[in-house]
Amino acid sequence: MPQRLKIAAAGLGRMGKRHALNFLNRTPRAELVAAFTPDAKEREWAKTNLEPYGVTLYDDYLKMLEHPGLNAVVIGTATTVHAEEAIQAMQKNLHVLCEKPLSTNLDICRQVVAEAKRRPHLKVMCGFSRRFDASYRDAFNKTQKGQIGRGVFVDMSVHDIDLTLWFFGDDIVPKSVSAHGIRAVQPALEKYNDFDNAVGIVEFWGGKIAYYYCSRMMAHGQEDTTEIIGTEGKLSVNCNPQINLVNHYHPEGITRKVPADYYGRFEMAFVQESNEFTEACLENKPLPMKLDNAVKAVEIGAALQEALVTGRQIRFDETGKRQKTSRL
């Protein structure tokens, strides 16, 4: 068993750069040995920020997979090639940490899961970063200890249907899906069958409901608010978002700054993710999430999007099979 995980970074866009630097500088048991990008500007960035530290740069993904001694790949490329590159890495006997989603196509998602099941010795994980956030983990632990009774309602933004599967349980089965939206400031989204503000409700068998509100209009910054309401209490995560502990008292009132983007809120979750993935690979420990959940999250998301566009409720039986017609 290697003492350090030799890992390569695929893709050096905004998120790919972050993964590469986290494995290079903030994951002591990992060694970033290679990086791939087809983009010339990204390779220029890598020549300054990665190559001087012993990272070999590639403009061909398959050639990078042949790098001597490579153990794993972190995939931060475009969503359209996530699945293809994950499968190619597994076929080279490499562990895989892939940015979400595996694909927006359900059949392709299932291909990745099937490939991983053929190679159970490999660690293959889809990176839902909120599962590594200290606040969400604290909230999850409290629900597991029964501190708010039985959870019956979750309120969150678009990113995490996955959080629903985590808090409600991997085996939770949708009963109905409905969604509504408006185009408040971006009417051009109509030609894409999309909206700038939307709400979705997923009812699950067993008496639990998830409510999602998503918006493209967060002018104040990154919010990511979650509530878990149970029979004996409630937990909230980030209901008063702020970038630090400073409040500004001035004639117009009391204000505080909010993180400007997703990474500003979840930077340390990504660091935790890289370290736990590395530990799982080196010590053959279970991953903190099931790869099947990455498919289930896309299934629910696709149903929500369909309900949003068609205005029709979608219903499922207790096995999760979609019903042809709605029941009253």
Side-chain angles (χ1 to χ4, degrees):
M1 183 180 296
Q3 296 300 308
R4 299 182 76 196
L5 186 75
K6 292 189 176 182
I7 191 166
L12 294 174
R14 184 174 60 176
M15 190 54 66
K17 288 183 175 76
R18 291 165 177 169
H19 281 300
L21 292 174
N22 281 341
F23 277 104
L24 180 67
N25 300 316
R26 307 169 86 173
T27 313
R29 300 186 67 187
E31 179 183 358
L32 186 70
V33 296
F36 152 77
T37 176
D39 186 276
K41 290 183 179 179
E42 291 176 5
R43 284 197 300 276
E44 285 302 312
W45 175 89
K47 286 178 181 178
T48 299
N49 295 278
L50 302 181
E51 196 172 49
Y53 303 96
V55 180
T56 303
L57 305 183
Y58 292 87
D59 60 7
D60 185 301
Y61 178 72
L62 294 178
K63 286 183 179 178
M64 185 191 72
L65 296 184
E66 301 289 345
H67 187 88
L70 192 63
N71 307 124
V73 178
V74 54
I75 297 173
T77 47
T79 298
T80 51
V81 294
H82 281 180
E84 175 187 356
E85 292 178 348
I87 290 171
Q88 289 170 334
M90 284 185 272
Q91 290 173 343
K92 291 294 183 181
N93 203 38
L94 300 172
H95 304 293
V96 176
L97 170 56
C98 183
E99 260 301 311
K100 59 86 189 165
L102 295 175
S103 172
T104 55
N105 182 297
L106 279 170
D107 289 334
I108 295 175
C109 285
R110 294 182 182 116
Q111 290 173 21
V112 177
V113 173
E115 193 71 29
K117 288 182 177 179
R118 284 192 282 269
R119 294 171 171 79
H121 63 289
L122 293 177
K123 303 298 180 184
V124 183
M125 186 172 84
C126 188
F128 286 107
S129 55
R130 292 190 188 183
R131 292 199 183 216
F132 300 90
D133 177 68
S135 295
Y136 279 114
R137 285 195 167 179
D138 182 48
F140 176 76
N141 290 335
K142 285 179 168 57
T143 62
Q144 292 300 101
K145 292 175 182 177
Q147 293 184 11
I148 60 167
R150 293 178 291 108
V152 294
F153 193 83
V154 175
D155 175 8
M156 65 187 72
S157 297
V158 66
H159 188 272
D160 280 2
I161 295 167
D162 176 67
L163 279 180
T164 308
L165 301 178
W166 187 26
F167 279 79
F168 281 178
D170 296 330
D171 299 325
I172 197 78
V173 176
K175 183 177 182 181
S176 69
V177 172
S178 57
H180 301 277
I182 60 172
R183 301 177 186 99
V185 295
Q186 297 175 333
L189 287 172
E190 182 175 6
K191 63 182 178 182
Y192 301 107
N193 274 336
D194 206 356
F195 302 82
D196 51 35
N197 282 264
V199 294
I201 297 176
V202 181
E203 177 190 13
F204 293 91
W205 289 97
K208 296 179 179 179
I209 299 174
Y211 164 77
Y212 307 95
Y213 167 62
C214 24
S215 174
R216 301 178 190 273
M217 295 165 42
M218 293 296 181
H220 57 287
Q222 192 75 20
E223 188 165 329
D224 299 301
T225 298
T226 302
E227 288 185 323
I228 309 100
I229 303 172
T231 56
E232 299 175 23
K234 181 178 82 169
L235 294 167
S236 64
V237 180
N238 202 41
C239 279
N240 293 295
Q242 55 193 81
I243 197 169
N244 54 32
L245 299 178
V246 175
N247 288 290
H248 180 195
Y249 294 74
H250 52 92
E252 285 76 37
I254 304 171
T255 58
R256 62 183 183 276
K257 290 187 176 181
V258 175
D261 54 28
Y262 184 84
Y263 201 65
R265 165 67 179 87
F266 290 106
E267 178 180 357
M268 294 313 299
F270 283 97
V271 175
Q272 187 71 19
E273 177 185 71
S274 66
N275 279 274
E276 290 191 23
F277 175 75
T278 297
E279 183 180 21
C281 293
L282 291 175
E283 299 184 14
N284 195 27
K285 289 186 175 181
L287 292 167
M289 63 188 73
K290 294 181 179 179
L291 190 61
D292 286 343
N293 275 357
V295 179
K296 199 168 186 176
V298 174
E299 288 176 337
I300 294 174
L304 280 165
Q305 187 66 22
E306 181 181 341
L308 177 64
V309 172
T310 64
R312 294 194 296 269
Q313 186 183 62
I314 300 170
R315 299 186 70 87
F316 303 85
D317 65 20
E318 292 182 65
T319 69
K321 183 179 180 180
R322 181 167 171 167
Q323 296 180 352
K324 296 296 183 182
T325 57
S326 296
R327 295 182 303 177
L328 294 178

